[in-house]
Short mmCIF file of all heavy atoms in Angstrom, two decimals:
data_model
loop_
_atom_site.label_atom_id
_atom_site.label_comp_id
_atom_site.label_asym_id
_atom_site.label_seq_id
_atom_site.Cartn_x
_atom_site.Cartn_y
_atom_site.Cartn_z
N ALA A 1551 91.04 94.46 84.95
CA ALA A 1551 90.31 93.54 85.82
C ALA A 1551 90.74 93.70 87.28
O ALA A 1551 89.91 93.71 88.19
CB ALA A 1551 90.50 92.10 85.35
N SER A 1552 92.04 93.84 87.52
CA SER A 1552 92.52 94.02 88.90
C SER A 1552 92.08 95.36 89.46
O SER A 1552 91.74 95.47 90.65
CB SER A 1552 94.05 93.90 88.94
OG SER A 1552 94.47 92.60 88.55
N ARG A 1553 92.07 96.38 88.63
CA ARG A 1553 91.61 97.70 89.11
C ARG A 1553 90.14 97.65 89.49
O ARG A 1553 89.73 98.23 90.50
CB ARG A 1553 91.85 98.76 88.04
CG ARG A 1553 93.31 99.11 87.83
CD ARG A 1553 93.45 100.36 87.00
NE ARG A 1553 92.94 100.17 85.64
CZ ARG A 1553 93.67 99.78 84.61
NH1 ARG A 1553 94.96 99.51 84.79
NH2 ARG A 1553 93.15 99.64 83.40
N GLU A 1554 89.33 96.98 88.68
CA GLU A 1554 87.91 96.90 89.01
C GLU A 1554 87.67 96.01 90.23
O GLU A 1554 86.74 96.24 90.99
CB GLU A 1554 87.14 96.35 87.80
CG GLU A 1554 87.14 97.30 86.60
CD GLU A 1554 86.43 96.69 85.42
OE1 GLU A 1554 86.07 95.49 85.50
OE2 GLU A 1554 86.26 97.39 84.39
N ARG A 1555 88.50 95.00 90.41
CA ARG A 1555 88.28 94.06 91.51
C ARG A 1555 88.76 94.61 92.85
O ARG A 1555 88.08 94.47 93.87
CB ARG A 1555 89.00 92.74 91.21
CG ARG A 1555 88.82 91.69 92.30
CD ARG A 1555 89.52 90.41 91.90
NE ARG A 1555 89.35 89.38 92.93
CZ ARG A 1555 89.91 88.17 92.88
NH1 ARG A 1555 90.66 87.84 91.82
NH2 ARG A 1555 89.72 87.30 93.84
N TYR A 1556 89.95 95.25 92.84
CA TYR A 1556 90.53 95.70 94.09
C TYR A 1556 90.45 97.20 94.30
O TYR A 1556 90.72 97.68 95.39
CB TYR A 1556 92.01 95.28 94.16
CG TYR A 1556 92.21 93.79 94.01
CD1 TYR A 1556 92.81 93.26 92.88
CD2 TYR A 1556 91.81 92.91 95.01
CE1 TYR A 1556 93.00 91.90 92.74
CE2 TYR A 1556 92.00 91.55 94.88
CZ TYR A 1556 92.60 91.04 93.73
OH TYR A 1556 92.79 89.69 93.60
N GLY A 1557 90.09 97.96 93.26
CA GLY A 1557 90.05 99.41 93.42
C GLY A 1557 88.98 99.86 94.37
O GLY A 1557 89.10 100.90 95.03
N GLN A 1558 87.86 99.12 94.49
CA GLN A 1558 86.79 99.51 95.41
C GLN A 1558 87.17 99.33 96.87
O GLN A 1558 86.50 99.85 97.74
CB GLN A 1558 85.53 98.67 95.11
CG GLN A 1558 85.04 98.79 93.68
CD GLN A 1558 84.64 100.21 93.33
OE1 GLN A 1558 84.16 100.94 94.19
NE2 GLN A 1558 84.82 100.60 92.09
N ARG A 1559 88.25 98.59 97.13
CA ARG A 1559 88.63 98.34 98.52
C ARG A 1559 89.71 99.28 99.02
O ARG A 1559 90.22 99.11 100.10
CB ARG A 1559 89.14 96.89 98.65
CG ARG A 1559 88.13 95.85 98.18
CD ARG A 1559 88.70 94.46 98.33
NE ARG A 1559 87.82 93.44 97.77
CZ ARG A 1559 88.10 92.15 97.73
NH1 ARG A 1559 89.24 91.71 98.23
NH2 ARG A 1559 87.26 91.29 97.20
N LEU A 1560 90.08 100.26 98.20
CA LEU A 1560 91.11 101.17 98.64
C LEU A 1560 90.62 102.03 99.79
O LEU A 1560 89.42 102.31 99.90
CB LEU A 1560 91.53 102.07 97.46
CG LEU A 1560 92.24 101.35 96.31
CD1 LEU A 1560 92.55 102.34 95.21
CD2 LEU A 1560 93.52 100.69 96.78
N PRO A 1561 91.51 102.47 100.67
CA PRO A 1561 91.06 103.28 101.81
C PRO A 1561 90.45 104.58 101.34
O PRO A 1561 90.96 105.26 100.44
CB PRO A 1561 92.36 103.51 102.60
CG PRO A 1561 93.47 103.27 101.61
CD PRO A 1561 92.97 102.22 100.67
N GLY A 1562 89.32 104.95 101.97
CA GLY A 1562 88.63 106.18 101.60
C GLY A 1562 87.69 106.04 100.44
O GLY A 1562 87.12 107.04 99.99
N SER A 1563 87.51 104.81 99.92
CA SER A 1563 86.63 104.66 98.77
C SER A 1563 85.19 104.95 99.12
O SER A 1563 84.41 105.38 98.26
CB SER A 1563 86.75 103.23 98.21
OG SER A 1563 86.41 102.27 99.20
N GLU A 1564 84.81 104.73 100.40
CA GLU A 1564 83.43 105.00 100.77
C GLU A 1564 83.15 106.50 100.81
O GLU A 1564 81.99 106.91 100.80
CB GLU A 1564 83.13 104.39 102.14
CG GLU A 1564 84.00 104.89 103.28
CD GLU A 1564 85.33 104.17 103.35
OE1 GLU A 1564 85.57 103.29 102.49
OE2 GLU A 1564 86.13 104.48 104.24
N GLN A 1565 84.19 107.36 100.86
CA GLN A 1565 83.97 108.79 100.86
C GLN A 1565 83.99 109.41 99.47
O GLN A 1565 83.87 110.61 99.32
CB GLN A 1565 85.03 109.50 101.72
CG GLN A 1565 84.78 109.40 103.22
CD GLN A 1565 85.31 108.11 103.80
OE1 GLN A 1565 86.20 107.52 103.23
NE2 GLN A 1565 84.78 107.68 104.93
N ARG A 1566 84.20 108.59 98.43
CA ARG A 1566 84.29 109.17 97.09
C ARG A 1566 82.99 109.80 96.66
O ARG A 1566 82.96 110.86 96.03
CB ARG A 1566 84.70 108.09 96.08
CG ARG A 1566 86.11 107.57 96.30
CD ARG A 1566 86.43 106.45 95.34
NE ARG A 1566 87.73 105.87 95.63
CZ ARG A 1566 88.20 104.79 95.02
NH1 ARG A 1566 87.47 104.17 94.11
NH2 ARG A 1566 89.38 104.31 95.32
N ALA A 1567 81.87 109.17 97.00
CA ALA A 1567 80.58 109.75 96.63
C ALA A 1567 80.37 111.09 97.31
O ALA A 1567 79.83 112.03 96.72
CB ALA A 1567 79.45 108.78 96.98
N ALA A 1568 80.81 111.20 98.58
CA ALA A 1568 80.66 112.48 99.28
C ALA A 1568 81.53 113.56 98.66
O ALA A 1568 81.12 114.72 98.56
CB ALA A 1568 81.02 112.29 100.76
N LEU A 1569 82.75 113.19 98.22
CA LEU A 1569 83.61 114.18 97.58
C LEU A 1569 83.03 114.66 96.25
O LEU A 1569 83.32 115.77 95.82
CB LEU A 1569 85.00 113.57 97.35
CG LEU A 1569 85.80 113.25 98.63
CD1 LEU A 1569 87.11 112.58 98.26
CD2 LEU A 1569 86.07 114.53 99.41
N ARG A 1570 82.23 113.84 95.61
CA ARG A 1570 81.61 114.25 94.36
C ARG A 1570 80.27 114.95 94.59
O ARG A 1570 79.53 115.17 93.64
CB ARG A 1570 81.38 113.02 93.47
CG ARG A 1570 82.67 112.32 93.04
CD ARG A 1570 82.39 111.25 92.01
NE ARG A 1570 83.61 110.61 91.58
CZ ARG A 1570 84.00 109.39 91.97
NH1 ARG A 1570 83.24 108.71 92.81
NH2 ARG A 1570 85.12 108.86 91.54
N GLY A 1571 79.95 115.30 95.81
CA GLY A 1571 78.71 116.00 96.10
C GLY A 1571 77.50 115.10 96.15
O GLY A 1571 76.38 115.56 95.95
N ARG A 1572 77.69 113.82 96.45
CA ARG A 1572 76.59 112.86 96.49
C ARG A 1572 76.26 112.44 97.93
O ARG A 1572 76.01 111.29 98.21
CB ARG A 1572 76.94 111.63 95.65
CG ARG A 1572 77.19 111.95 94.18
CD ARG A 1572 77.67 110.73 93.43
NE ARG A 1572 78.02 111.07 92.06
CZ ARG A 1572 78.60 110.22 91.21
NH1 ARG A 1572 78.92 109.00 91.61
NH2 ARG A 1572 78.89 110.60 89.98
N GLU A 1573 76.33 113.41 98.83
CA GLU A 1573 75.99 113.09 100.21
C GLU A 1573 74.49 112.85 100.33
O GLU A 1573 73.69 113.49 99.64
CB GLU A 1573 76.40 114.25 101.11
CG GLU A 1573 77.90 114.51 101.11
CD GLU A 1573 78.26 115.69 101.98
OE1 GLU A 1573 77.33 116.29 102.54
OE2 GLU A 1573 79.46 116.01 102.09
#
Side-chain angles (χ1 to χ4, degrees):
S1552 297
R1553 289 193 296 268
E1554 293 177 353
R1555 181 178 180 183
Y1556 303 110
Q1558 302 298 327
R1559 304 180 185 178
L1560 293 178
S1563 59
E1564 60 277 1
Q1565 282 84 23
R1566 293 176 186 173
L1569 294 176
R1570 297 188 179 104
R1572 300 174 184 172
E1573 298 178 359

